Amino acid sequence: MELKRVVVTGMGALTPIGNNISEYWEGLKHGKSGAAPITYFDTELFKTKFACEIKNFNANDYFDRKEVRRLDRFAQYALVSSDEAILDSGIDLNVVDKYRVGVIWGAGIGGLETFQNEVIDFAKGDGTPRFNPFFIPKMIADIAPGNISIKHGFMGPNYATVSACASSANAMIDALNYIRLGYSDIIVTGGSEAAVTKAGMGGFNSMHALSTKNDDPQKASRPFDANRDGFVLGEGGGALILEEYEHAKARGAKIYAEVIGGGMSSDAYHMTAPHPEGKGVVAVMKNCLHNSGLNPEDVDTINTHGTSTPLGDVAELKAIKQVFGEHAKTININSTKSMTGHLLGAAGAVEAIASILAMQHSLVPPTINHETADENIDSELNLTLNKPQERKIKVAMSNTFGFGGHNACVAFKSLDE
Amino acid sequence: MSDIASRVKAIIVDKLGVDENEVVTEASFTNDLGADSLDTVELIMEFEKEFDIQIPDDQAENISTVGQAISYIEEAKK
Protein backbone atom coordinates (compact mmCIF):
# COMPACT_ATOMS: atom_id res chain seq x y z
CA MET A 1 0.00 0.00 0.00
CA GLU A 2 1.37 3.37 -0.95
CA LEU A 3 1.42 5.92 1.83
CA LYS A 4 -0.40 9.16 1.21
CA ARG A 5 1.40 12.48 1.48
CA VAL A 6 0.46 14.86 4.28
CA VAL A 7 0.67 18.65 4.36
CA VAL A 8 -0.02 21.44 6.84
CA THR A 9 -2.87 23.66 5.68
CA GLY A 10 -3.71 25.66 8.79
CA MET A 11 -2.11 26.85 12.01
CA GLY A 12 -3.22 28.48 15.24
CA ALA A 13 -1.29 29.55 18.32
CA LEU A 14 -2.03 30.96 21.74
CA THR A 15 1.35 31.48 23.39
CA PRO A 16 3.02 33.55 26.12
CA ILE A 17 4.58 35.75 23.41
CA GLY A 18 1.57 36.14 21.13
CA ASN A 19 -2.10 35.21 21.12
CA ASN A 20 -2.34 34.23 17.45
CA ILE A 21 -0.02 33.13 14.64
CA SER A 22 0.97 36.59 13.48
CA GLU A 23 1.65 37.90 17.00
CA TYR A 24 3.55 34.71 17.77
CA TRP A 25 5.78 35.18 14.73
CA GLU A 26 6.41 38.83 15.64
CA GLY A 27 7.46 37.68 19.11
CA LEU A 28 9.73 34.92 17.77
CA LYS A 29 11.38 37.14 15.21
CA HIS A 30 12.12 39.86 17.74
CA GLY A 31 13.35 37.51 20.44
CA LYS A 32 10.61 38.44 22.88
CA SER A 33 10.51 36.82 26.31
CA GLY A 34 7.13 35.72 27.65
CA ALA A 35 8.31 35.46 31.27
CA ALA A 36 6.93 37.64 34.04
CA PRO A 37 5.89 37.40 37.69
CA ILE A 38 2.96 35.02 38.13
CA THR A 39 -0.40 36.80 38.28
CA TYR A 40 -2.68 33.79 38.84
CA PHE A 41 -1.93 33.27 42.53
CA ASP A 42 0.13 34.60 45.42
CA THR A 43 3.66 33.22 45.03
CA GLU A 44 5.06 34.40 48.34
CA LEU A 45 5.75 30.88 49.58
CA PHE A 46 6.94 29.55 46.23
CA LYS A 47 10.57 29.09 45.29
CA THR A 48 9.91 30.23 41.71
CA LYS A 49 7.67 33.28 41.42
CA PHE A 50 7.49 33.72 37.65
CA ALA A 51 6.32 31.87 34.57
CA CYS A 52 5.36 32.43 30.95
CA GLU A 53 1.61 33.05 31.31
CA ILE A 54 -0.74 33.82 28.45
CA LYS A 55 -1.37 37.57 28.48
CA ASN A 56 -4.50 39.60 27.79
CA PHE A 57 -6.60 36.48 27.52
CA ASN A 58 -10.17 36.82 28.68
CA ALA A 59 -12.08 33.56 28.31
CA ASN A 60 -15.34 35.52 28.12
CA ASP A 61 -14.23 36.95 24.77
CA TYR A 62 -14.34 33.42 23.32
CA PHE A 63 -16.91 31.51 25.36
CA ASP A 64 -20.21 32.19 27.06
CA ARG A 65 -20.36 32.09 30.83
CA LYS A 66 -21.61 28.52 30.98
CA GLU A 67 -18.88 27.27 28.62
CA VAL A 68 -16.20 29.01 30.66
CA ARG A 69 -17.30 27.11 33.75
CA ARG A 70 -17.21 23.79 31.89
CA LEU A 71 -13.75 24.25 30.41
CA ASP A 72 -10.47 24.09 32.25
CA ARG A 73 -7.98 26.61 30.84
CA PHE A 74 -6.11 23.88 28.95
CA ALA A 75 -9.33 23.08 27.07
CA GLN A 76 -10.04 26.76 26.45
CA TYR A 77 -6.57 27.10 24.90
CA ALA A 78 -7.26 24.03 22.77
CA LEU A 79 -10.49 25.49 21.40
CA VAL A 80 -9.06 28.95 20.77
CA SER A 81 -5.93 27.73 18.97
CA SER A 82 -7.77 25.08 16.95
CA ASP A 83 -10.44 27.61 15.92
CA GLU A 84 -7.71 29.82 14.50
CA ALA A 85 -6.16 26.89 12.63
CA ILE A 86 -9.49 25.70 11.20
CA LEU A 87 -10.37 29.20 10.04
CA ASP A 88 -6.87 29.64 8.60
CA SER A 89 -7.15 26.36 6.65
CA GLY A 90 -10.19 27.62 4.78
CA ILE A 91 -11.95 24.27 5.25
CA ASP A 92 -15.62 24.72 4.42
CA LEU A 93 -17.33 23.12 7.39
CA ASN A 94 -20.57 22.85 5.43
CA VAL A 95 -18.98 20.82 2.67
CA VAL A 96 -16.23 18.70 4.25
CA ASP A 97 -17.02 15.04 5.03
CA LYS A 98 -16.91 15.23 8.82
CA TYR A 99 -16.52 11.47 9.18
CA ARG A 100 -13.15 11.95 7.46
CA VAL A 101 -11.97 14.66 9.89
CA GLY A 102 -10.29 13.61 13.15
CA VAL A 103 -8.83 15.36 16.17
CA ILE A 104 -5.68 14.05 17.85
CA TRP A 105 -4.49 16.34 20.61
CA GLY A 106 -1.65 16.32 23.12
CA ALA A 107 -1.75 17.39 26.75
CA GLY A 108 0.92 16.40 29.23
CA ILE A 109 -1.27 16.80 32.29
CA GLY A 110 -4.74 18.12 31.42
CA GLY A 111 -6.91 20.11 33.79
CA LEU A 112 -4.46 20.50 36.64
CA GLU A 113 -6.15 23.58 38.09
CA THR A 114 -9.52 21.84 38.12
CA PHE A 115 -7.99 18.82 39.83
CA GLN A 116 -6.20 21.00 42.38
CA ASN A 117 -9.24 23.10 43.27
CA GLU A 118 -11.63 20.18 43.57
CA VAL A 119 -9.26 18.30 45.85
CA ILE A 120 -8.69 21.42 47.97
CA ASP A 121 -12.48 21.77 48.38
CA PHE A 122 -12.77 18.12 49.32
CA ALA A 123 -9.94 18.35 51.84
CA LYS A 124 -11.58 21.35 53.50
CA GLY A 125 -14.81 19.43 54.04
CA ASP A 126 -15.76 16.75 56.53
CA GLY A 127 -14.73 13.88 54.29
CA THR A 128 -18.07 13.60 52.49
CA PRO A 129 -17.15 13.12 48.84
CA ARG A 130 -19.05 16.06 47.38
CA PHE A 131 -17.30 16.50 44.07
CA ASN A 132 -18.58 18.74 41.31
CA PRO A 133 -20.04 16.68 38.45
CA PHE A 134 -17.76 18.58 36.06
CA PHE A 135 -14.62 17.63 38.02
CA ILE A 136 -13.72 14.58 35.95
CA PRO A 137 -14.93 15.70 32.52
CA LYS A 138 -13.18 19.07 32.91
CA MET A 139 -9.93 17.56 34.09
CA ILE A 140 -9.26 14.57 31.83
CA ALA A 141 -6.68 15.26 29.11
CA ASP A 142 -8.83 13.85 26.29
CA ILE A 143 -11.61 16.38 26.89
CA ALA A 144 -9.65 18.86 24.73
CA PRO A 145 -10.02 16.85 21.49
CA GLY A 146 -13.49 15.84 22.68
CA ASN A 147 -14.58 19.46 22.88
CA ILE A 148 -13.01 20.36 19.53
CA SER A 149 -14.99 17.60 17.83
CA ILE A 150 -18.22 18.52 19.67
CA LYS A 151 -17.87 22.12 18.56
CA HIS A 152 -17.35 21.34 14.87
CA GLY A 153 -18.97 17.93 14.46
CA PHE A 154 -15.75 16.13 13.43
CA MET A 155 -16.53 12.41 13.64
CA GLY A 156 -13.20 10.83 12.66
CA PRO A 157 -10.54 9.42 15.03
CA ASN A 158 -10.52 11.36 18.28
CA TYR A 159 -8.24 10.98 21.29
CA ALA A 160 -5.44 12.54 23.33
CA THR A 161 -1.79 11.61 23.47
CA VAL A 162 -0.05 11.83 26.84
CA SER A 163 3.76 11.68 26.86
CA ALA A 164 4.57 14.65 29.09
CA CYS A 165 6.45 17.30 27.12
CA ALA A 166 6.42 15.19 23.94
CA SER A 167 2.60 14.88 23.96
CA SER A 168 1.75 17.14 21.05
CA ALA A 169 4.67 15.84 18.96
CA ASN A 170 3.23 12.36 19.43
CA ALA A 171 -0.19 13.75 18.45
CA MET A 172 1.25 15.16 15.20
CA ILE A 173 3.01 11.89 14.39
CA ASP A 174 -0.20 9.91 14.99
CA ALA A 175 -2.13 12.38 12.84
CA LEU A 176 0.50 12.06 10.11
CA ASN A 177 0.35 8.28 10.16
CA TYR A 178 -3.45 8.02 10.16
CA ILE A 179 -3.65 10.27 7.13
CA ARG A 180 -0.79 8.41 5.45
CA LEU A 181 -2.73 5.18 5.95
CA GLY A 182 -5.97 6.63 4.66
CA TYR A 183 -8.02 6.66 7.87
CA SER A 184 -8.75 10.39 7.58
CA ASP A 185 -8.44 13.24 5.07
CA ILE A 186 -7.92 15.90 7.70
CA ILE A 187 -6.79 15.78 11.31
CA VAL A 188 -6.83 18.72 13.66
CA THR A 189 -3.75 18.19 15.81
CA GLY A 190 -1.56 20.03 18.29
CA GLY A 191 -1.61 20.40 22.03
CA SER A 192 -2.41 22.60 24.97
CA GLU A 193 -1.42 22.94 28.60
CA ALA A 194 -2.29 25.14 31.56
CA ALA A 195 -0.09 24.05 34.44
CA VAL A 196 0.81 27.47 35.84
CA THR A 197 -1.03 26.67 39.06
CA LYS A 198 0.03 26.19 42.66
CA ALA A 199 0.22 22.43 42.14
CA GLY A 200 2.18 22.79 38.90
CA MET A 201 4.69 25.30 40.20
CA GLY A 202 5.07 23.53 43.53
CA GLY A 203 5.43 20.14 41.91
CA PHE A 204 8.03 21.16 39.34
CA ASN A 205 9.87 23.22 41.96
CA SER A 206 10.25 20.25 44.25
CA MET A 207 11.88 18.35 41.37
CA HIS A 208 14.39 21.22 41.03
CA ALA A 209 13.26 21.45 37.43
CA LEU A 210 12.44 25.18 37.34
CA SER A 211 14.69 28.21 37.12
CA THR A 212 14.64 30.30 40.32
CA LYS A 213 15.97 33.46 38.73
CA ASN A 214 13.31 35.59 40.44
CA ASP A 215 15.35 38.77 40.14
CA ASP A 216 15.18 38.74 36.33
CA PRO A 217 12.45 36.46 34.94
CA GLN A 218 12.93 37.55 31.31
CA LYS A 219 16.51 36.31 31.40
CA ALA A 220 15.72 33.06 33.19
CA SER A 221 15.12 30.80 30.19
CA ARG A 222 18.63 30.63 28.75
CA PRO A 223 19.16 27.38 26.87
CA PHE A 224 22.81 26.47 26.24
CA ASP A 225 24.10 29.28 28.50
CA ALA A 226 26.64 28.18 31.12
CA ASN A 227 24.50 29.68 33.91
CA ARG A 228 21.18 28.08 32.97
CA ASP A 229 19.36 26.80 36.04
CA GLY A 230 16.20 25.08 34.90
CA PHE A 231 13.20 25.66 32.67
CA VAL A 232 10.54 28.35 32.88
CA LEU A 233 7.01 27.02 32.96
CA GLY A 234 4.85 28.21 30.09
CA GLU A 235 1.27 27.59 29.02
CA GLY A 236 -0.90 27.88 25.93
CA GLY A 237 -1.93 25.97 22.86
CA GLY A 238 -0.80 25.27 19.31
CA ALA A 239 -2.88 23.73 16.53
CA LEU A 240 -2.04 22.41 13.07
CA ILE A 241 -4.37 21.20 10.37
CA LEU A 242 -2.80 18.13 8.76
CA GLU A 243 -4.37 17.21 5.46
CA GLU A 244 -3.90 14.61 2.78
CA TYR A 245 -2.00 16.28 -0.06
CA GLU A 246 -4.44 15.51 -2.91
CA HIS A 247 -7.38 16.55 -0.73
CA ALA A 248 -5.68 19.86 0.00
CA LYS A 249 -4.79 20.42 -3.67
CA ALA A 250 -8.31 19.59 -4.81
CA ARG A 251 -9.81 22.33 -2.67
CA GLY A 252 -7.07 24.80 -3.59
CA ALA A 253 -5.80 25.05 -0.01
CA LYS A 254 -2.82 27.12 0.96
CA ILE A 255 -0.02 24.70 1.91
CA TYR A 256 2.55 25.70 4.52
CA ALA A 257 4.78 22.63 4.40
CA GLU A 258 4.79 18.89 3.96
CA VAL A 259 5.03 16.71 7.06
CA ILE A 260 7.52 14.16 5.82
CA GLY A 261 8.04 11.98 8.84
CA GLY A 262 8.25 11.41 12.54
CA GLY A 263 10.50 9.49 14.89
CA MET A 264 9.76 8.10 18.32
CA SER A 265 11.93 6.46 20.97
CA SER A 266 12.35 5.98 24.68
CA ASP A 267 15.36 6.62 26.90
CA ALA A 268 14.50 3.59 29.08
CA TYR A 269 16.71 5.17 31.68
CA HIS A 270 15.18 7.34 34.45
CA MET A 271 11.82 8.86 35.40
CA THR A 272 12.97 12.44 34.90
CA ALA A 273 16.70 12.64 34.13
CA PRO A 274 17.77 12.58 30.48
CA HIS A 275 20.20 9.88 29.41
CA PRO A 276 23.62 11.56 29.83
CA GLU A 277 24.78 10.52 26.36
CA GLY A 278 21.41 11.23 24.81
CA LYS A 279 21.05 7.64 23.66
CA GLY A 280 17.27 7.82 23.16
CA VAL A 281 17.65 11.23 21.55
CA VAL A 282 20.13 9.85 19.00
CA ALA A 283 17.65 7.09 18.26
CA VAL A 284 14.70 9.45 17.83
CA MET A 285 16.47 11.69 15.33
CA LYS A 286 17.74 8.67 13.38
CA ASN A 287 14.22 7.24 13.36
CA CYS A 288 12.86 10.53 12.12
CA LEU A 289 15.43 10.79 9.31
CA HIS A 290 14.67 7.24 8.25
CA ASN A 291 10.91 7.69 8.43
CA SER A 292 11.20 10.90 6.42
CA GLY A 293 13.48 9.41 3.77
CA LEU A 294 16.16 11.98 4.60
CA ASN A 295 19.92 11.93 4.78
CA PRO A 296 21.47 13.89 7.67
CA GLU A 297 22.85 16.40 5.15
CA ASP A 298 19.32 17.35 4.09
CA VAL A 299 18.46 18.99 7.40
CA ASP A 300 18.71 22.80 7.61
CA THR A 301 17.30 23.58 11.04
CA ILE A 302 16.63 21.79 14.32
CA ASN A 303 14.26 23.34 16.80
CA THR A 304 15.64 21.68 19.91
CA HIS A 305 13.82 20.54 22.98
CA GLY A 306 16.39 22.88 24.64
CA THR A 307 14.61 23.57 27.90
CA SER A 308 17.46 25.40 29.66
CA THR A 309 18.17 22.61 32.14
CA PRO A 310 21.81 21.84 32.96
CA LEU A 311 21.75 18.18 31.85
CA GLY A 312 19.19 18.12 29.05
CA ASP A 313 20.68 20.81 26.82
CA VAL A 314 24.14 19.22 26.75
CA ALA A 315 22.82 15.72 26.12
CA GLU A 316 20.68 16.90 23.20
CA LEU A 317 23.54 18.73 21.50
CA LYS A 318 25.82 15.72 21.95
CA ALA A 319 23.17 13.61 20.29
CA ILE A 320 22.85 16.07 17.39
CA LYS A 321 26.62 15.86 16.81
CA GLN A 322 26.48 12.10 16.89
CA VAL A 323 23.62 11.87 14.38
CA PHE A 324 24.70 14.61 11.99
CA GLY A 325 28.51 14.44 12.26
CA GLU A 326 30.28 17.32 10.51
CA HIS A 327 26.99 18.50 9.02
CA ALA A 328 25.83 19.43 12.56
CA LYS A 329 27.96 22.59 12.31
CA THR A 330 26.00 23.85 9.31
CA ILE A 331 22.57 23.34 10.88
CA ASN A 332 20.74 26.28 12.45
CA ILE A 333 19.98 24.98 15.92
CA ASN A 334 17.70 27.03 18.17
CA SER A 335 15.42 26.90 21.18
CA THR A 336 11.99 28.48 21.03
CA LYS A 337 11.70 27.89 24.78
CA SER A 338 14.18 30.70 25.43
CA MET A 339 11.24 32.97 24.54
CA THR A 340 8.04 31.04 25.24
CA GLY A 341 9.15 29.04 28.26
CA HIS A 342 8.24 25.39 28.36
CA LEU A 343 4.65 24.71 27.32
CA LEU A 344 4.92 21.04 28.38
CA GLY A 345 2.37 19.07 26.35
CA ALA A 346 1.87 21.99 23.96
CA ALA A 347 5.61 22.43 23.31
CA GLY A 348 5.84 20.08 20.33
CA ALA A 349 3.02 21.86 18.53
CA VAL A 350 4.06 25.47 19.13
CA GLU A 351 7.65 24.60 18.24
CA ALA A 352 6.64 22.80 15.06
CA ILE A 353 4.68 25.92 14.16
CA ALA A 354 7.79 28.02 14.88
CA SER A 355 9.79 25.77 12.54
CA ILE A 356 7.21 26.09 9.77
CA LEU A 357 7.00 29.88 10.19
CA ALA A 358 10.81 30.05 10.02
CA MET A 359 10.65 28.09 6.77
CA GLN A 360 7.96 30.36 5.39
CA HIS A 361 9.88 33.54 6.24
CA SER A 362 13.40 32.15 5.60
CA LEU A 363 14.37 33.38 9.04
CA VAL A 364 15.45 31.28 12.02
CA PRO A 365 14.26 32.79 15.33
CA PRO A 366 16.96 33.26 17.95
CA THR A 367 17.87 31.41 21.12
CA ILE A 368 17.72 34.44 23.41
CA ASN A 369 19.47 35.20 26.71
CA HIS A 370 22.79 33.63 25.81
CA GLU A 371 25.63 35.38 27.65
CA THR A 372 28.21 32.83 28.77
CA ALA A 373 29.46 29.92 26.69
CA ASP A 374 29.22 26.50 28.31
CA GLU A 375 32.51 24.64 27.98
CA ASN A 376 30.58 21.37 27.61
CA ILE A 377 29.01 22.64 24.39
CA ASP A 378 30.90 22.55 21.09
CA SER A 379 31.47 26.19 20.14
CA GLU A 380 31.36 25.27 16.45
CA LEU A 381 27.64 24.51 16.63
CA ASN A 382 25.43 27.34 15.34
CA LEU A 383 22.92 27.80 18.16
CA THR A 384 21.37 30.89 16.53
CA LEU A 385 22.28 32.90 19.60
CA ASN A 386 20.48 36.13 20.47
CA LYS A 387 19.73 37.27 16.91
CA PRO A 388 17.58 35.69 14.20
CA GLN A 389 19.45 34.40 11.16
CA GLU A 390 18.33 34.49 7.56
CA ARG A 391 18.27 31.06 6.03
CA LYS A 392 16.54 29.36 3.14
CA ILE A 393 15.03 26.29 4.78
CA LYS A 394 14.19 23.17 2.84
CA VAL A 395 13.95 20.74 5.74
CA ALA A 396 13.23 21.53 9.40
CA MET A 397 13.25 19.14 12.32
CA SER A 398 11.66 19.68 15.72
CA ASN A 399 12.61 17.71 18.85
CA THR A 400 10.59 17.20 22.01
CA PHE A 401 11.32 14.94 24.97
CA GLY A 402 9.16 14.17 27.97
CA PHE A 403 9.57 13.04 31.56
CA GLY A 404 9.32 9.28 31.44
CA GLY A 405 11.97 9.24 28.73
CA HIS A 406 9.58 9.79 25.78
CA ASN A 407 11.25 11.24 22.70
CA ALA A 408 9.54 12.46 19.55
CA CYS A 409 10.88 14.24 16.50
CA VAL A 410 8.96 15.59 13.50
CA ALA A 411 10.29 16.67 10.09
CA PHE A 412 8.80 19.25 7.75
CA LYS A 413 9.75 20.01 4.17
CA SER A 414 9.13 23.10 2.11
CA LEU A 415 7.08 22.50 -1.04
CA ASP A 416 8.48 25.62 -2.72
CA GLU A 417 11.01 24.81 -5.37
CA MET B 1 -40.33 36.91 45.90
CA SER B 2 -39.26 34.97 48.97
CA ASP B 3 -35.66 34.98 50.08
CA ILE B 4 -35.39 31.30 49.15
CA ALA B 5 -36.79 31.90 45.68
CA SER B 6 -34.37 34.70 44.94
CA ARG B 7 -31.37 32.68 46.14
CA VAL B 8 -32.47 29.68 44.06
CA LYS B 9 -32.81 31.89 41.01
CA ALA B 10 -29.41 33.46 41.56
CA ILE B 11 -27.81 30.01 41.62
CA ILE B 12 -29.56 29.01 38.41
CA VAL B 13 -28.51 32.22 36.65
CA ASP B 14 -24.93 31.68 37.75
CA LYS B 15 -24.62 27.97 36.97
CA LEU B 16 -26.59 27.82 33.73
CA GLY B 17 -25.49 31.17 32.37
CA VAL B 18 -29.07 32.21 31.58
CA ASP B 19 -30.83 35.57 31.89
CA GLU B 20 -32.67 36.24 35.11
CA ASN B 21 -35.95 36.82 33.31
CA GLU B 22 -35.85 33.32 31.81
CA VAL B 23 -35.80 31.79 35.29
CA VAL B 24 -39.57 31.68 35.78
CA THR B 25 -41.38 29.30 38.13
CA GLU B 26 -42.51 26.86 35.46
CA ALA B 27 -39.18 26.79 33.57
CA SER B 28 -37.69 23.32 33.22
CA PHE B 29 -33.93 23.07 33.78
CA THR B 30 -33.41 20.81 30.78
CA ASN B 31 -36.15 21.82 28.36
CA ASP B 32 -36.15 25.58 28.89
CA LEU B 33 -32.85 26.55 30.48
CA GLY B 34 -30.45 24.37 28.48
CA ALA B 35 -29.19 22.23 31.35
CA ASP B 36 -27.75 18.76 30.67
CA SER B 37 -27.49 15.88 33.13
CA LEU B 38 -24.27 17.21 34.65
CA ASP B 39 -25.68 20.72 35.10
CA THR B 40 -28.69 19.29 36.90
CA VAL B 41 -26.52 17.40 39.36
CA GLU B 42 -24.48 20.53 39.96
CA LEU B 43 -27.60 22.61 40.61
CA ILE B 44 -28.85 20.16 43.21
CA MET B 45 -25.44 20.19 44.91
CA GLU B 46 -25.41 23.97 44.95
CA PHE B 47 -28.89 24.05 46.52
CA GLU B 48 -27.68 21.64 49.19
CA LYS B 49 -24.68 23.81 49.93
CA GLU B 50 -26.51 27.14 49.86
CA PHE B 51 -29.35 25.99 52.11
CA ASP B 52 -27.44 23.45 54.19
CA ILE B 53 -29.82 20.61 53.38
CA GLN B 54 -29.51 17.09 51.96
CA ILE B 55 -31.49 16.21 48.85
CA PRO B 56 -31.49 12.41 48.40
CA ASP B 57 -31.06 11.19 44.80
CA ASP B 58 -34.59 9.75 44.57
CA GLN B 59 -36.04 13.14 45.51
CA ALA B 60 -33.60 15.09 43.33
CA GLU B 61 -35.07 13.25 40.35
CA ASN B 62 -38.38 15.00 41.00
CA ILE B 63 -36.87 18.46 40.94
CA SER B 64 -36.85 19.47 37.31
CA THR B 65 -38.29 22.98 37.33
CA VAL B 66 -37.49 26.23 39.11
CA GLY B 67 -40.77 26.06 41.01
CA GLN B 68 -40.20 22.49 42.15
CA ALA B 69 -36.77 23.46 43.51
CA ILE B 70 -38.16 26.42 45.43
CA SER B 71 -41.05 24.38 46.92
CA TYR B 72 -38.74 21.52 47.90
CA ILE B 73 -36.31 23.84 49.65
CA GLU B 74 -39.07 25.85 51.36
CA GLU B 75 -40.51 22.60 52.67
CA ALA B 76 -37.09 21.34 53.80
CA LYS B 77 -36.31 24.58 55.61
CA LYS B 78 -39.61 24.67 57.56
Side-chain angles (χ1 to χ4, degrees):
Chain A
M1 172 183 172
E2 201 183 327
L3 294 178
K4 296 178 189 302
R5 291 174 69 186
V6 180
V7 292
V8 179
T9 57
M11 299 194 290
L14 177 58
T15 78
I17 61 167
N19 290 6
N20 55 51
I21 289 290
S22 73
E23 284 179 24
Y24 180 42
W25 176 245
E26 282 302 302
L28 288 171
K29 184 166 80 170
H30 292 112
K32 180 176 168 183
S33 167
I38 288 172
T39 63
Y40 294 151
F41 58 90
D42 180 1
T43 56
E44 194 189 332
L45 299 174
F46 286 73
K47 214 159 68 177
T48 297
K49 303 174 192 305
F50 60 94
C52 290
E53 294 177 345
I54 298 290
K55 286 137 198 98
N56 305 316
F57 176 79
N58 182 357
N60 297 304
D61 294 344
Y62 300 92
F63 308 103
D64 67 34
R65 215 150 48 87
K66 187 173 161 184
E67 287 172 321
V68 171
R69 292 197 324 102
R70 287 168 163 250
L71 298 167
D72 185 273
R73 277 190 287 137
F74 97 101
Q76 295 175 10
Y77 299 164
L79 285 163
V80 171
S81 57
S82 61
D83 273 359
E84 185 188 6
I86 292 164
L87 186 69
D88 180 47
S89 74
I91 297 167
D92 185 341
L93 294 171
N94 297 313
V95 172
V96 73
D97 178 355
K98 292 188 177 178
Y99 286 94
R100 300 283 301 165
V101 184
V103 185
I104 302 178
W105 198 261
I109 302 176
L112 185 58
E113 186 170 44
T114 298
F115 189 96
Q116 166 196 291
N117 292 345
E118 283 292 325
V119 173
I120 289 174
D121 277 353
F122 172 63
K124 279 183 184 157
D126 62 2
T128 312
R130 296 172 54 83
F131 287 92
N132 189 291
F134 292 106
F135 169 31
I136 302 292
K138 260 175 86 173
M139 175 266 292
I140 50 180
D142 55 289
I143 207 66
N147 276 313
I148 294 170
S149 68
I150 291 165
K151 175 161 186 179
H152 302 288
F154 300 145
M155 295 178 72
N158 190 292
Y159 62 92
T161 51
V162 178
S163 48
C165 310
S167 298
S168 54
N170 277 113
M172 290 187 286
I173 293 170
D174 282 11
L176 163 68
N177 286 331
Y178 280 134
I179 298 173
R180 274 174 163 174
L181 292 168
Y183 285 86
S184 291
D185 298 325
I186 295 171
I187 293 181
V188 180
T189 187
S192 58
E193 202 80 78
V196 183
T197 61
K198 290 178 187 174
M201 292 300 295
F204 283 115
N205 255 161
S206 67
M207 294 167 63
H208 299 283
L210 298 178
S211 168
T212 54
K213 206 171 164 52
N214 293 313
D215 58 336
D216 197 355
Q218 300 222 327
K219 290 264 170 71
S221 187
R222 42 176 59 222
F224 317 128
D225 184 278
N227 298 315
R228 64 191 181 277
D229 70 334
F231 72 80
V232 177
L233 191 57
E235 60 165 359
L240 300 96
I241 307 299
L242 264 50
E243 185 166 355
E244 194 269 316
Y245 177 56
E246 296 299 334
H247 190 274
K249 257 195 349 191
R251 69 179 183 88
K254 142 184 99 241
I255 293 174
Y256 286 104
E258 180 169 0
V259 194
I260 50 173
M264 295 172 278
S265 77
S266 172
D267 276 3
Y269 173 71
H270 184 268
M271 282 169 75
T272 57
H275 190 285
E277 298 302 317
K279 221 168 147 184
V281 176
V282 168
V284 83
M285 287 188 282
K286 283 186 173 169
N287 289 345
C288 185
L289 290 172
H290 178 74
N291 190 254
S292 310
L294 292 171
N295 293 314
E297 298 72 38
D298 297 327
V299 175
D300 297 301
T301 62
I302 299 177
N303 192 336
T304 59
H305 186 56
T307 57
S308 185
T309 55
L311 295 176
D313 291 7
V314 169
E316 183 174 8
L317 294 179
K318 272 188 195 167
I320 288 174
K321 279 179 65 177
Q322 196 178 324
V323 173
F324 292 90
E326 274 299 300
H327 179 68
K329 294 173 189 167
T330 69
I331 298 174
N332 265 100
I333 298 168
N334 74 342
S335 168
T336 306
K337 291 186 184 79
S338 61
M339 297 172 272
T340 60
H342 191 350
L343 275 67
L344 306 180
V350 297
E351 289 164 25
I353 291 168
S355 301
I356 294 167
L357 289 169
M359 184 179 273
Q360 197 190 3
H361 295 274
S362 297
L363 188 76
V364 184
T367 305
I368 65 167
N369 292 330
H370 192 275
E371 287 168 0
T372 313
D374 179 342
E375 58 180 23
N376 299 310
I377 291 174
D378 186 341
S379 61
E380 286 190 277
L381 293 174
N382 178 2
L383 304 173
T384 322
L385 299 175
N386 300 322
K387 285 196 181 110
Q389 291 178 16
E390 284 182 20
R391 171 132 190 183
K392 178 102 186 91
I393 302 165
K394 186 80 190 162
V395 173
M397 271 175 54
S398 182
N399 279 339
T400 36
F401 318 133
F403 287 152
H406 321 290
N407 306 306
C409 175
V410 189
F412 300 93
K413 189 175 179 184
S414 165
L415 284 183
D416 303 335
E417 285 311 321
Chain B
M1 195 170 21
S2 73
D3 168 57
I4 286 176
S6 62
R7 282 155 71 192
V8 164
K9 287 183 183 180
I11 289 171
I12 295 169
V13 166
D14 177 46
K15 296 297 172 192
L16 300 184
V18 289
D19 276 347
E20 209 181 321
N21 55 22
E22 293 177 71
V23 189
V24 291
T25 310
E26 60 274 16
S28 150
F29 299 142
T30 49
N31 298 333
D32 301 317
L33 301 177
D36 64 17
S37 56
L38 296 174
D39 291 317
T40 313
V41 176
E42 194 185 29
L43 279 180
I44 297 293
M45 288 179 63
E46 283 301 315
F47 297 150
E48 289 180 327
K49 200 162 98 187
E50 174 74 16
F51 297 102
D52 194 23
I53 55 173
Q54 295 292 324
I55 308 177
D57 285 353
D58 57 340
Q59 300 194 28
E61 283 167 16
N62 300 323
I63 303 174
S64 59
T65 68
V66 177
Q68 284 165 355
I70 294 169
S71 320
Y72 183 92
I73 294 161
E74 281 174 345
E75 193 59 35
K77 293 303 280 182
K78 263 185 190 164

